Amino acid sequence: MEQNLKFISSRSKSLLQSDDLYQYILETSVYPREPELLKELRHITAGHPRARMATAPDAAQLIAMLLKLVNPKKTIEVGVFTGYSLLLTALTIPEDGKITAIDINQETFEIGLPIIKKAGVADKINFIQSEALPVLDQLLQTHENEGSFEFAFIDADKVNYWSYHERLMKLLKVGGVVVYDNTLWGGTVAMPDELVPEFLKQGRQFTIEFNKLLVADPRVQISHASIGDGITICKRLY
């Protein structure tokens, strides 16, 4: 099964120059440690027409380590798709941890829901079918929510990344961590504009602008990791 997924996993997510090297990383260090139910959900998602939207398994492994280090009891996820990263979070956070998960598409969330239920972690998840900004704004209307979240994972519409960031700087506690996915946009951020495929140009521009804003934001310490499709890890400093 893993070999059948080789093209999907490496071509769609890896920024390494060698597909064989990426496959080595997956088969040597990632897949052997991947929980069986996550593996099951990854295989199911691979058959979806938009499978490349799923979180890369090597990026997920790093996110799991971050979750273990932060040990959050209150998290936010914007952009759920079939729920691979959501299940990963639910499996990793403490037993009494809770996730506010937001996505406009409940249909794709329900692809992974039976596996989430099988894992026994559905009670950790509050799934909200909605655009994210109204939900984040509603959370901020309750004063107790400010500075109460410890971790966030954002893998959604790139045009709104900075708007999400501004709200998360209020919702996350000082010392909290937010991870943004797709911050290298298939490597196109470093390509001359004339070489970028037309369908990637708009997202590329949003990503370039977001990366510039993040590096200039004194409220966060950042690490831009060339893993998966690029993830940027931000720790709120104040």
Side-chain angles (χ1 to χ4, degrees):
M1 176 65 77
E2 301 298 352
Q3 286 301 114
N4 293 338
L5 295 176
K6 180 175 180 180
F7 179 82
I8 293 173
S9 62
S10 62
R11 285 290 184 184
S12 63
K13 283 293 182 181
S14 173
L15 294 174
L16 292 175
Q17 294 183 359
S18 166
D19 289 345
D20 289 336
L21 179 57
Y22 184 57
Q23 198 65 23
Y24 171 83
I25 292 170
L26 292 176
E27 293 177 355
T28 303
S29 302
V30 178
Y31 293 155
R33 291 293 190 97
E34 184 181 37
E36 286 302 314
L37 290 174
L38 269 181
K39 192 186 303 290
E40 182 180 346
L41 181 50
R42 176 167 56 81
H43 289 168
I44 291 171
T45 303
H48 193 279
R50 290 177 288 152
R52 69 190 310 271
M53 289 176 58
T55 304
D58 54 330
Q61 187 180 61
L62 176 57
I63 292 166
M65 181 173 287
L66 291 170
L67 284 164
K68 281 294 186 183
L69 291 170
V70 176
N71 199 34
K73 291 189 176 182
K74 195 173 179 183
T75 76
I76 295 176
E77 180 157 335
V78 178
V80 171
F81 192 42
T82 63
Y84 184 84
S85 57
L86 182 60
L87 176 58
L88 170 87
T89 301
L91 288 170
T92 309
I93 63 176
E95 287 300 316
D96 57 347
K98 299 295 181 183
I99 309 163
T100 299
I102 311 163
D103 199 298
I104 58 173
N105 191 334
Q106 181 155 345
E107 184 178 339
T108 51
F109 166 65
E110 289 178 351
I111 293 172
L113 186 55
I115 300 175
I116 290 171
K117 289 180 176 178
K118 189 194 301 186
V121 292
D123 61 328
K124 294 183 179 182
I125 298 167
N126 176 26
F127 177 80
I128 302 171
Q129 183 184 11
S130 172
E131 294 183 353
L133 288 177
V135 176
L136 298 178
D137 286 338
Q138 186 175 17
L139 287 171
L140 284 168
Q141 288 177 9
T142 302
H143 180 70
E144 289 76 10
N145 285 328
E146 291 188 20
S148 68
F149 290 86
E150 298 148 292
F151 191 92
F153 178 60
I154 312 299
D155 184 8
D157 50 324
K158 311 314 166 196
V159 64
N160 280 316
Y161 264 32
W162 187 252
S163 296
Y164 298 149
H165 183 72
E166 287 288 7
R167 287 155 176 81
L168 288 168
M169 288 301 99
K170 298 175 183 176
L171 289 167
L172 281 176
K173 72 172 191 176
V174 172
V177 171
V178 53
V179 177
Y180 296 99
D181 201 6
N182 308 119
T183 54
L184 292 177
W185 202 242
T188 62
V189 291
M191 289 182 185
D193 188 65
E194 61 271 16
L195 296 182
V196 178
E198 194 62 37
F199 74 98
L200 291 175
K201 283 187 176 180
Q202 186 178 47
R204 170 184 179 267
Q205 191 56 43
F206 290 139
T207 303
I208 288 172
E209 292 172 3
F210 177 67
N211 290 339
K212 289 178 180 178
L213 289 168
L214 268 189
V215 77
D217 186 355
R219 297 170 295 181
V220 291
Q221 177 183 356
I222 71 168
S223 175
H224 201 168
S226 55
I227 189 170
D229 191 29
I231 63 172
T232 303
I233 304 160
C234 302
K235 177 181 178 181
R236 184 183 172 191
L237 298 176
Y238 64 84

